Amino acid sequence: MYVLTGLKMKNPTILAAGILGTTGASLCRVALEGGANAVVTKSIGCMPKKGHPNPSIIQLDCGFLNAMGLPNPSYQGFLQELKIAKKDSGVPVIASIFGGNVVEFMEVAEGLLPGKPDAFELNVSCPHSEGYGAAVGSNPCLVEAITAAVKDVVNVPVWVKLTPNVSDITSIGTAAESGGADAVVAINTLKGMAIDIESGYPILGNRSGGLSGKAVKPVAVKCIYDLYATLKIPVIGVGGVSCWQDAVEMMMAGAAAVQVGSAVYERIDIFSEINTGIKAFLQRKSYSDVKKLIGLSHEMV
Amino acid sequence: MYVLTGLKMKNPTILAAGILGTTGASLCRVALEGGANAVVTKSIGCMPKKGHPNPSIIQLDCGFLNAMGLPNPSYQGFLQELKIAKKDSGVPVIASIFGGNVVEFMEVAEGLLPGKPDAFELNVSCPHSEGYGAAVGSNPCLVEAITAAVKDVVNVPVWVKLTPNVSDITSIGTAAESGGADAVVAINTLKGMAIDIESGYPILGNRSGGLSGKAVKPVAVKCIYDLYATLKIPVIGVGGVSCWQDAVEMMMAGAAAVQVGSAVYERIDIFSEINTGIKAFLQRKSYSDVKKLIGLSHEMV
Amino acid sequence: MLPLNATILQITEESHSVRTFFFDLHFETMEPGQFVMVWGRGVNEVPMGLSRINSITVLKVGETTSKLFELKEGDSFGLRGPFGRGFSLPSENEKILIIAGGVGAAPLSPYAEAAYAVGSEVHTILGARSADELIFEKRFLGAGKVYISTDDGSKGIKGFVTDVLKGLDLSAYDKIAICGKELMMVSVFRLIKDRKVLEKAEFSLHRYFKCGIGICGSCCIDRSGFRVCKEGPVFSGMQLLDSEFGRYERDASGRRVQI
Amino acid sequence: MLPLNATILQITEESHSVRTFFFDLHFETMEPGQFVMVWGRGVNEVPMGLSRINSITVLKVGETTSKLFELKEGDSFGLRGPFGRGFSLPSENEKILIIAGGVGAAPLSPYAEAAYAVGSEVHTILGARSADELIFEKRFLGAGKVYISTDDGSKGIKGFVTDVLKGLDLSAYDKIAICGKELMMVSVFRLIKDRKVLEKAEFSLHRYFKCGIGICGSCCIDRSGFRVCKEGPVFSGMQLLDSEFGRYERDASGRRVQI
Ligand SMILES: Cc1cc2nc3c(=O)[nH]c(=O)nc-3n(C[C@H](O)[C@H](O)[C@H](O)COP(=O)(O)OP(=O)(O)OC[C@H]3O[C@@H](n4cnc5c(N)ncnc54)[C@H](O)[C@@H]3O)c2cc1C
Ligand SMILES: Cc1cc2nc3c(=O)[nH]c(=O)nc-3n(C[C@H](O)[C@H](O)[C@H](O)COP(=O)(O)OP(=O)(O)OC[C@H]3O[C@@H](n4cnc5c(N)ncnc54)[C@H](O)[C@@H]3O)c2cc1C
Ligand SMILES: Cc1cc2nc3c(=O)[nH]c(=O)nc-3n(C[C@H](O)[C@H](O)[C@H](O)COP(=O)(O)O)c2cc1C
Ligand SMILES: Cc1cc2nc3c(=O)[nH]c(=O)nc-3n(C[C@H](O)[C@H](O)[C@H](O)COP(=O)(O)O)c2cc1C
Ligand code: FES
Ligand code: FES
C-alpha cells in the first residue's frame, strides 16, 4: 500500500487529466481493465463548454498535439459521472478543475464536493483568466491565491498542476506550496503547433495547442527534478511516460507518483504493465520499496 | 538568389550553431559537401572553455539532449578557423557569440571582426550571466542592451537567437528588435534531462541540458508563428527540422530561412536534400517563389 | 498520423443531399465499417465511414458537410485514418443480412461487396425516407438480394426496415450487420434480441468524435466505457446490452442528450 | 541511443597498466576498429575501441580510466556504441600486415582474428615500450606471424615498429592496418608513403570526442573536415594526405595543440 497526500493506492500509477476522463464509465474502465491506481477526471469548469473545433488532437512522430479547449459538461453535468467513478472504480478519484479566476475555482470545487472526490487537481494552465492576459499558471500570485482559496472550501487534498511554459517552474511550484497545496503535478503540455503544408492551414482547429507524449518526457523529467529539489510537498510526475522505465526515471528525478496520459492511446492496460515492470525492477535491483526510487538521482553525484 | 538581412544565399537553408561548427574545415564541408547555403559557427566566448564533462550529448528516441557547456577556443583561438570558413566555404559565415554580460559580448564581437564574419548571431541563452542569476535570454532588458551594444561595435547584420524556456518568447523577440537586431533566430534548445535508471545517475555530465531534434519541432513552429505575428524583422527558424517538409512547415509559420542542427547527424547533405525538396514542392504547387511560403499559414483562416 | 491530403477525383450525386467523393488515396487494407476523419480545412473535422477504399459518401447536414459540398473535383481535404473496428467478414458458406438506413448504406456497401467476394450469400434491407433517398441500391443488388422500405412507400414496402425484418426468418442468417440512425438501429436491436439472435448482430454506432483515435474519451459509451472510435464504431449486439445505446448520447461538451 | 548498462563479468590484467574488461553485452555485428563510449558514472565518458565483441582493453592514463580500474567484477558502467567505421576486412586470398603500438593492439586484435577467420594471411608487428607492456601477443600469434619490437629491447627487436617495418617487403601485402600513438603512426605513414603503398594502409585515429556520434564537431580533422567519430576512427592513408595528422590535434575547447 502506497500513501500519497493521504490517498491510499496499491501502486503509484495514475491516469492523467483529460484522457478518457469525460465519463464515469471510462474512468472505471481505466482503473479496472487498465490497472490505474487512481484516476484524474477531465478538467471541469463552471459552464458547459464544447471546446475548440476539430482537429482537436493529432498524432505526431513523437507525441500528440491537442487543443481540446477544455470541453466539459460543467460541474453540474459532471456530478453524475463523478459519482459513478467513485462508486465503481475502486480507486481514488481526483477531480481536475479549472476556472478563470479564484471565484470560479471555488465554485467548481464546491460544486463537485457532493460527488466526494478523493482529491482535487487544479488545472492552472487555463488561458482564459484574470491577470493581464497571461495564463493563470504563469503568475505565482494567482496560483497561490487560487490554491489557498480552494484549500479553504474543501477538506480533501489539493494538487496543483503546473505548466512548463514558464521561465522557472519552481517559482510557480513554490507559490502552490505557499498556498497550501498538498502536491504539485508536473507537467501539463508544452505550447506547440503543426501546419499542414499542402494547404498552409494550421492543423488544429484552435491553430495551436499543447504537446504531450514521448517528445516532452525529457522536459518533464527536468521540471520534476527541479521541483523535487525546491519543494517540500510531493511532486507527481506526468509527461511522456510510455513504459515502466519512463516511470522509474521520473521517480528517480523526484516523482512520488506517475501519471500517464497520451500513452493510454496505445494500450489501456499500460498501468498494469508499468506496475509489473516496476515490481520486477525493484526485485532485480533489490530495492526494498518503490519509495527508494523517489529522488534517487539527487543522491548520485 | 535569396537575400536575408543583406546576406546573399542561394537557398534559405543554414547550418545551426554548435553543430560541426568548431573548425573552419568542418564548416566548409557542411557548405560544400552538405549544401548549406550559410553556416553558423559554434558559439564563441572570451576565454577558452573545455565545456562540461561527457556524456555531453545523447540521442533519445525523439531527439537529442546536450550539455556541451559552450566549449570553445576563445575568439583568439577561433579567428583562424573563421578565416578558413570565410575563404573556402563559398557561403555567408555567421559568427555565433556568447558572453555573460554586455561587455563580454562586445569583446567577442570585436575580437572576431578581423575574421570578417558576414553576420553575428548572439547566443543569449547562456546560463552564466549577470541579472539575478536568471539566464540572459529570459531577461528582455539584458537582451535589448546586449543587442544594441553589439550593433554599435559591428557593421554587419546581427541576429539574436532566442531561448524557448520563457513564458513569452515574443517579449524577448521584441526586446531584440528594439535593440536593433536584424533578425531573430528561434529556437535554442528546451531544458531537459534524462536519467540512467540502472544507476540513478543523470546521464549528462552536467546532469541536465537542452533538448533538440524532432521532439522540439512543434514548439519551434509555435514560437516562430508567434514571433512572425509580433515582429517586423525576419524570423529564422530552427528546431527539429529533418526533412524538406519540416522546412516548408517552418517557413509557412513565418520563418524567412531555416537552420538545421541535430539532423545533420544522419546525413550532412540534408541541406541539398531540403533545397531539392522545396524546389519540387514549389513547382508542384505552382508557387512562383520560395518567399511565398513565408508566413503563409497566417493567411489561412 | 497527420492528415493526409486527399484530392477529389470525382464527385457523384447519390441523392439530392448525399454525394460520394472519390479521392486519390487508396486504403487497400480498410475493413468495411472503418471510418476516416475528414478535415474541411478552416472549418472542422468529422468522422465519415469509407464507402469504398477510395471514397466517402456524405449526407449534407451542417457546417462541415456543407463545406464539403462546396468542393469541386481537383479540390482537396485532409484525411486521417482508417480508424476503428469494422464489421466482421463472413466466411464462404455463411449467409448474411445487411440492414442499412439512409446514409448508413455508405459503410455497408463495401461490406456487402466484400462478403459477396468471399462467396457468402448476401441479403440487404435498404431503407430510406423515399425512393430518391435510397443509396447504393445497385451495389447491394450486385451482391445479392435486396429488400426495400421507404417511409412514404415510394419504393418497396411502405414503412421501416423493421417492417421488412419482421417478415424474415432470422435463424437463416449467420451474421447481421446494421448501420443507420440510432432510433432505427435500436428498433432493430429490440427485434433481433426478441428473436434471440443478438449474438449474430453487429451495429455501427455514431457518437461525437474529437480525436478519433482513442485518447480524449469524448466518444465513450456507458456502461462499458468502450470508445466508439477505437473499440467501435462497430459493436456486437452483446456488447450493447445494458448500454446507453438507444437511450442517450453525449454532445461535444460531454453532456448527456436523449436520443 | 542511451547508454546501455554493461556489467563486468571478468577483468584480465594485460600489463601493469592495461586491463581488459569483459562485459555482459555482445556486439555481434561490430566491425574491428569500431569504438564504444564508456561512461564511468559520476566521472566522464571516453571512447574505447572494442577489443572483442564483449570487451574493452584500457590503458590507465587519467581520471576516467583510473575510475574504471577501481571497478570490480559485478560492477557496471555505461556503454554507447559501437560507433564509427572500422578496418576493411581482407578477403580470403589477401595477405595483411597489422602494426600495433601499445594499447593500439586492442582494436587490432579482433581485426587479426577476423582476417584469420576469413582465411587471409596475417602478419603483425607488435610494439611496446618493454616486454611486459606487450598486449595480446597470443591473439596475434593465433592469427599468424608476429614481429615484436620493444623500445628497451626486452623482447624482439630493440627499437620501434618502424624498425621492423623497414625490413619488410610491403609490396607483398594487400592491406596494412595501423593503430597506436600518433607519433608512431605518422612515422609509419611516412615510410609507407615513401614506399608508395599508402593506398593499402588504414590508420585508426584518436581525437577528442564529445558526442561520439557525429554531431558536435569536436573531433573534426583538417583539411577534410572529416569527423573521426563518424567517418573514422579508421581512415585510409589517402584520406590523411594533406591533413593535420601527425601535426596537431584539438583539445576539449577546440584549441589546436601540437602533436
Ligand atoms: C463512425 C461514424 C461514421 C460516420 N459515417 C458517415 C458517413 O459515412 N456519411 C455521413 O454522411 N455521415 C457519417 N457520419 C456522421 C457525420 O460525422 C456527421 O454527419 C457530421 O459530423 C456532421 O458534421 P457537420 O459539421 O456537417 O454538422 P453539424 O451541424 O456540426 O452537426 C450535425 C450533427 O452531426 C453530428 N456531428 C457533428 N460533428 C461530429 C463529430 N465530430 N463526430 C460525430 N458526430 C458529429 C452530430 O450528431 C451533430 O448533431 C458518421 C459518424 C460517425 C461517428
Ligand atoms: C577512437 C578511440 C579509441 C580508443 N581506444 C582506446 C582503447 O581501446 N584503449 C585505451 O586505453 N584507450 C583508448 N582510447 C584513448 C582513451 O579514450 C583515453 O585514454 C581516455 O579518454 C583517457 O581518459 P582519462 O579520463 O582517463 O584521461 P584524462 O586525464 O582525461 O586525459 C588523458 C588523455 O586522454 C585523452 N582523452 C581524454 N578524454 C578524451 C575523450 N573524450 N576523447 C578522446 N580522448 C580523450 C586525451 O588525449 C587526454 O589528453 C581511444 C581513443 C579514441 C579516440
Ligand atoms: C487529449 C488530451 C487532453 C488533455 N486534457 C487535460 C485536461 O483537461 N486537464 C489537464 O490538466 N491536463 C490535460 N491534458 C494534459 C495531460 O494530463 C498531461 O499533463 C499531458 O498530456 C502530458 O502527459 P502525457 O505525455 O502522458 O500525455 C490533456 C492531454 C491530452 C493529450
Ligand atoms: C550538440 C549541440 C550543440 C549546440 N551548440 C550550440 C551553440 O553553441 N550555440 C547555439 O546558439 N546553439 C547551439 N545549439 C542549438 C542548435 O543550434 C539549435 O538551436 C537546436 O539544436 C535546435 O535545432 P535542431 O533541432 O535542428 O538541432 C546546439 C545544439 C546541439 C544539438
Ligand atoms: S473520439 Fe477521442 S476517444 Fe474517441
Ligand atoms: S565527437 Fe562529436 S562529432 Fe565527433
Side-chain angles (χ1 to χ4, degrees):
Chain A
M1 197 47 76
Y2 186 86
V3 182
L4 177 69
T5 67
L7 274 57
K8 293 200 186 70
M9 295 161 53
K10 250 184 93 181
N11 292 288
T13 58
I14 305 173
L15 173 70
I19 283 84
L20 303 186
T22 308
T23 73
S26 58
L27 289 166
C28 291
R29 184 171 172 223
V30 173
L32 301 173
E33 181 188 331
N37 304 107
V39 291
V40 183
T41 70
K42 176 79 200 153
S43 292
I44 303 298
C46 293
M47 302 291 294
K49 256 174 81 100
K50 294 196 168 180
H52 298 306
N54 280 350
S56 45
I57 311 187
I58 49 162
Q59 189 176 12
L60 309 174
D61 280 359
C62 308
F64 295 88
L65 264 182
N66 90 77
M68 305 302 297
L70 295 165
N72 81 94
S74 79
Y75 59 85
Q76 276 117 337
F78 192 68
L79 216 41
Q80 59 187 333
E81 309 292 343
L82 181 57
K83 286 178 179 162
I84 292 170
K86 276 293 298 176
K87 188 162 77 65
D88 294 333
S89 70
V91 300
V93 179
I94 297 94
S96 171
I97 63 173
F98 74 92
N101 52 44
V102 173
V103 176
E104 282 181 22
F105 267 98
M106 288 167 66
E107 178 183 339
V108 183
E110 290 187 289
L112 288 176
L113 277 179
K116 297 206 184 349
D118 295 282
F120 283 92
E121 184 177 286
L122 313 187
N123 178 358
V124 289
S125 332
C126 159
H128 330 275
S129 64
E130 296 183 342
Y132 311 101
V136 173
S138 52
N139 182 332
C141 303
L142 268 176
V143 169
E144 182 172 342
I146 289 167
T147 310
V150 174
K151 277 296 286 185
D152 252 14
V153 295
V154 306
N155 51 3
V156 292
V158 172
W159 302 352
V160 178
K161 179 140 174 209
L162 306 176
T163 169
N165 300 301
V166 292
S167 308
D168 176 15
I169 198 170
T170 64
S171 67
I172 314 293
T174 305
E177 189 172 73
S178 309
D182 297 277
V184 293
V185 182
I187 56 174
N188 213 314
T189 55
L190 272 174
K191 282 189 274 183
M193 182 170 183
I195 293 165
D196 175 53
I197 64 168
E198 288 297 329
S199 65
Y201 274 97
I203 299 177
L204 292 175
N206 186 48
R207 304 185 81 78
S208 69
L211 183 65
S212 66
K214 275 184 196 291
V216 308
K217 196 190 69 175
V219 177
V221 170
K222 169 67 172 154
C223 290
I224 293 161
Y225 186 88
D226 290 348
L227 287 165
Y228 179 87
T230 310
L231 305 185
K232 282 177 216 77
I233 54 176
V235 181
I236 297 164
V238 57
V241 173
S242 68
C243 58
W244 67 263
Q245 289 91 338
D246 295 341
V248 169
E249 184 180 4
M250 277 205 171
M251 297 191 77
M252 287 181 166
V258 171
Q259 296 185 349
V260 183
S262 304
V264 175
Y265 153 77
E266 282 174 56
R267 41 191 197 291
I268 284 196
D269 62 353
I270 175 137
F271 302 93
S272 309
E273 194 187 302
I274 290 176
N275 292 337
T276 311
I278 294 182
K279 191 174 282 177
F281 178 76
L282 294 176
Q283 218 148 32
R284 173 162 70 79
K285 294 293 221 178
S286 310
Y287 289 114
S288 56
D289 187 343
V290 66
K291 287 191 187 129
K292 300 274 181 216
L293 303 179
I294 303 171
L296 186 69
S297 72
H298 294 260
E299 292 157 33
M300 308 309 291
V301 280
Chain B
M1 196 50 75
Y2 186 86
V3 182
L4 178 69
T5 67
L7 274 56
K8 294 199 186 69
M9 295 161 52
K10 252 184 92 183
N11 293 288
T13 57
I14 305 173
L15 173 70
I19 283 85
L20 303 186
T22 308
T23 73
S26 58
L27 289 165
C28 291
R29 184 171 172 222
V30 174
L32 300 172
E33 181 187 332
N37 304 106
V39 293
V40 184
T41 70
K42 175 82 201 150
S43 292
I44 304 298
C46 293
M47 302 290 294
K49 257 174 81 100
K50 296 196 167 180
H52 298 307
N54 280 349
S56 45
I57 311 188
I58 49 161
Q59 188 175 13
L60 310 173
D61 279 359
C62 309
F64 295 88
L65 264 182
N66 90 78
M68 305 301 296
L70 295 165
N72 81 94
S74 79
Y75 60 86
Q76 276 118 338
F78 192 68
L79 215 41
Q80 59 187 334
E81 309 292 344
L82 181 57
K83 285 176 180 163
I84 292 171
K86 276 293 297 175
K87 188 161 78 62
D88 295 332
S89 70
V91 299
V93 179
I94 297 93
S96 171
I97 64 173
F98 74 91
N101 52 44
V102 173
V103 176
E104 282 182 21
F105 267 98
M106 289 168 65
E107 178 183 338
V108 182
E110 290 187 287
L112 288 176
L113 277 179
K116 297 205 184 351
D118 295 282
F120 283 93
E121 183 177 287
L122 313 188
N123 178 357
V124 289
S125 331
C126 160
H128 331 276
S129 64
E130 296 183 343
Y132 311 100
V136 173
S138 52
N139 182 333
C141 303
L142 268 175
V143 168
E144 182 173 341
I146 289 167
T147 310
V150 175
K151 278 295 286 184
D152 252 15
V153 295
V154 306
N155 50 3
V156 292
V158 172
W159 303 352
V160 179
K161 178 140 174 210
L162 307 176
T163 169
N165 301 301
V166 292
S167 308
D168 176 16
I169 198 169
T170 64
S171 68
I172 314 293
T174 304
E177 189 173 70
S178 309
D182 297 277
V184 293
V185 182
I187 56 174
N188 213 314
T189 54
L190 272 174
K191 283 189 274 184
M193 183 169 182
I195 293 166
D196 175 53
I197 64 168
E198 288 297 328
S199 65
Y201 273 97
I203 300 178
L204 292 175
N206 187 47
R207 304 184 80 78
S208 70
L211 183 64
S212 66
K214 275 183 197 292
V216 308
K217 197 191 66 174
V219 177
V221 170
K222 168 68 171 152
C223 290
I224 293 160
Y225 186 87
D226 289 348
L227 287 165
Y228 179 86
T230 309
L231 305 185
K232 282 176 216 76
I233 55 176
V235 181
I236 297 163
V238 56
V241 173
S242 69
C243 58
W244 67 263
Q245 289 90 339
D246 295 342
V248 169
E249 183 180 5
M250 276 204 172
M251 297 191 76
M252 288 180 165
V258 171
Q259 297 185 349
V260 184
S262 304
V264 175
Y265 152 77
E266 282 174 56
R267 41 191 197 291
I268 284 196
D269 62 354
I270 174 134
F271 303 94
S272 310
E273 194 186 303
I274 289 176
N275 291 337
T276 311
I278 294 181
K279 192 174 283 176
F281 178 76
L282 294 177
Q283 219 147 32
R284 173 161 71 77
K285 293 293 218 176
S286 311
Y287 290 113
S288 56
D289 187 342
V290 66
K291 287 189 188 132
K292 299 276 182 218
L293 303 179
I294 303 171
L296 186 69
S297 72
H298 295 259
E299 291 156 35
M300 308 309 292
V301 281
Chain C
M1 69 185 301
L2 295 178
L4 303 170
N5 188 61
T7 301
I8 300 170
L9 298 182
Q10 198 193 312
I11 302 177
T12 312
E13 200 97 3
E14 309 289 355
S15 79
H16 69 279
S17 58
V18 175
R19 284 188 195 161
T20 294
F21 298 83
F22 289 86
F23 42 75
D24 62 345
L25 304 170
H26 287 71
F27 300 108
E28 302 289 350
T29 58
M30 78 105 159
E31 305 165 17
Q34 281 192 309
F35 68 95
V36 289
M37 295 297 290
V38 177
W39 177 33
R41 287 153 180 153
V43 190
N44 211 325
E45 189 196 40
V46 295
M48 290 286 158
L50 283 166
S51 58
R52 288 185 189 80
I53 58 168
N54 64 337
S55 74
I56 53 171
T57 298
V58 180
L59 170 67
K60 185 169 158 179
V61 296
E63 197 186 1
T64 319
T65 46
S66 301
K67 162 88 183 195
L68 290 173
F69 268 55
E70 285 167 22
L71 299 180
K72 307 265 158 292
E73 285 160 19
D75 289 346
S76 65
F77 49 81
L79 205 160
R80 296 188 293 136
F83 296 133
R85 180 176 159 267
F87 293 100
S88 339
L89 277 187
S91 50
E92 193 179 334
N93 302 314
E94 288 187 320
K95 190 169 165 183
I96 67 167
L97 177 63
I98 289 173
I99 307 173
V103 76
L108 282 170
S109 50
Y111 181 65
E113 288 167 351
Y116 173 78
V118 299
S120 71
E121 191 179 337
V122 181
H123 291 185
T124 302
I125 309 178
L126 193 59
R129 280 183 297 187
S130 61
D132 55 345
E133 289 188 9
L134 287 165
I135 293 195
F136 294 138
E137 185 182 344
K138 279 204 194 115
R139 293 177 70 193
F140 289 108
L141 270 172
K145 187 167 173 179
V146 178
Y147 303 93
I148 286 180
S149 73
T150 50
D151 301 7
D152 65 358
S154 49
K155 189 160 185 182
I157 288 193
K158 177 165 162 47
F160 305 115
V161 290
T162 36
D163 295 314
V164 179
L165 194 61
K166 279 176 202 151
L168 298 183
D169 172 14
L170 298 189
S171 68
Y173 296 100
D174 300 292
K175 287 193 157 53
I176 307 176
I178 304 107
C179 186
K181 284 224 150 63
E182 190 144 326
L183 283 178
M184 176 279 261
M185 291 204 289
V186 83
S187 319
V188 172
F189 181 91
R190 288 196 197 108
L191 200 150
I192 290 181
K193 194 176 156 219
D194 289 347
R195 300 269 188 98
K196 309 237 178 317
V197 293
L198 195 56
E199 67 283 356
K200 295 181 185 177
E202 289 183 326
F203 297 81
S204 179
L205 258 59
H206 288 188
R207 281 297 176 270
Y208 202 93
F209 286 7
K210 286 174 180 281
C211 70
I213 53 174
I215 301 189
C216 69
S218 62
C219 66
C220 289
I221 53 171
D222 291 345
R223 302 181 36 186
S224 59
F226 285 141
R227 295 163 290 187
V228 174
C229 73
K230 186 110 172 179
E231 283 83 25
V234 175
F235 291 99
S236 74
M238 305 307 282
Q239 286 177 306
L240 298 179
L241 277 169
D242 191 24
S243 78
E244 68 178 46
F245 176 59
R247 291 162 44 216
Y248 59 87
E249 57 181 341
R250 285 183 177 80
D251 68 10
S253 76
R255 261 188 308 183
R256 296 187 190 180
V257 182
Q258 298 302 316
I259 295 278
Chain D
M1 70 185 300
L2 295 178
L4 302 169
N5 188 61
T7 301
I8 300 170
L9 299 182
Q10 197 192 311
I11 300 177
T12 312
E13 200 96 5
E14 308 290 354
S15 80
H16 70 278
S17 58
V18 176
R19 284 187 196 162
T20 293
F21 298 84
F22 290 85
F23 42 75
D24 60 346
L25 304 170
H26 286 70
F27 300 107
E28 301 290 351
T29 59
M30 78 104 160
E31 305 165 18
Q34 281 192 309
F35 68 95
V36 289
M37 294 297 289
V38 177
W39 176 32
R41 287 154 179 152
V43 190
N44 211 325
E45 188 196 41
V46 294
M48 290 285 159
L50 282 166
S51 57
R52 290 185 189 80
I53 57 167
N54 63 337
S55 73
I56 52 171
T57 299
V58 181
L59 170 68
K60 183 170 158 177
V61 295
E63 196 186 2
T64 319
T65 47
S66 301
K67 162 87 183 197
L68 290 174
F69 268 55
E70 285 167 22
L71 299 181
K72 307 267 160 290
E73 285 159 20
D75 288 346
S76 64
F77 49 81
L79 205 160
R80 294 188 294 136
F83 295 133
R85 180 175 158 268
F87 293 99
S88 338
L89 276 188
S91 51
E92 193 179 336
N93 303 314
E94 288 187 320
K95 191 170 164 184
I96 67 167
L97 177 63
I98 289 172
I99 307 174
V103 77
L108 282 170
S109 50
Y111 180 65
E113 288 166 350
Y116 173 78
V118 299
S120 71
E121 192 179 335
V122 181
H123 291 185
T124 302
I125 309 179
L126 193 60
R129 279 185 295 187
S130 62
D132 55 345
E133 290 188 8
L134 287 166
I135 294 194
F136 294 138
E137 186 181 345
K138 280 205 194 114
R139 293 178 70 194
F140 290 108
L141 270 173
K145 188 166 171 180
V146 177
Y147 303 93
I148 285 178
S149 74
T150 51
D151 301 8
D152 65 0
S154 49
K155 189 159 185 183
I157 288 191
K158 178 168 162 46
F160 305 116
V161 290
T162 37
D163 295 314
V164 180
L165 193 61
K166 278 175 202 151
L168 300 183
D169 172 15
L170 297 190
S171 67
Y173 297 101
D174 299 293
K175 286 192 156 54
I176 308 176
I178 305 107
C179 186
K181 284 224 150 62
E182 189 144 329
L183 283 176
M184 176 280 261
M185 291 204 290
V186 84
S187 319
V188 172
F189 181 90
R190 288 196 195 109
L191 200 149
I192 289 180
K193 193 177 156 218
D194 288 348
R195 301 271 187 97
K196 309 238 179 314
V197 293
L198 195 56
E199 66 283 356
K200 294 181 184 176
E202 289 183 326
F203 298 81
S204 179
L205 258 59
H206 289 188
R207 281 297 176 270
Y208 203 94
F209 285 6
K210 285 177 180 280
C211 69
I213 52 174
I215 301 190
C216 69
S218 62
C219 66
C220 289
I221 53 171
D222 292 344
R223 302 178 37 183
S224 58
F226 285 142
R227 295 163 290 186
V228 173
C229 72
K230 186 109 172 180
E231 284 82 26
V234 175
F235 292 98
S236 74
M238 306 307 283
Q239 286 177 306
L240 298 178
L241 278 168
D242 191 24
S243 78
E244 69 177 48
F245 176 60
R247 292 162 45 216
Y248 59 88
E249 58 181 341
R250 285 182 177 80
D251 68 10
S253 77
R255 262 188 308 183
R256 296 187 189 181
V257 181
Q258 299 301 315
I259 295 278

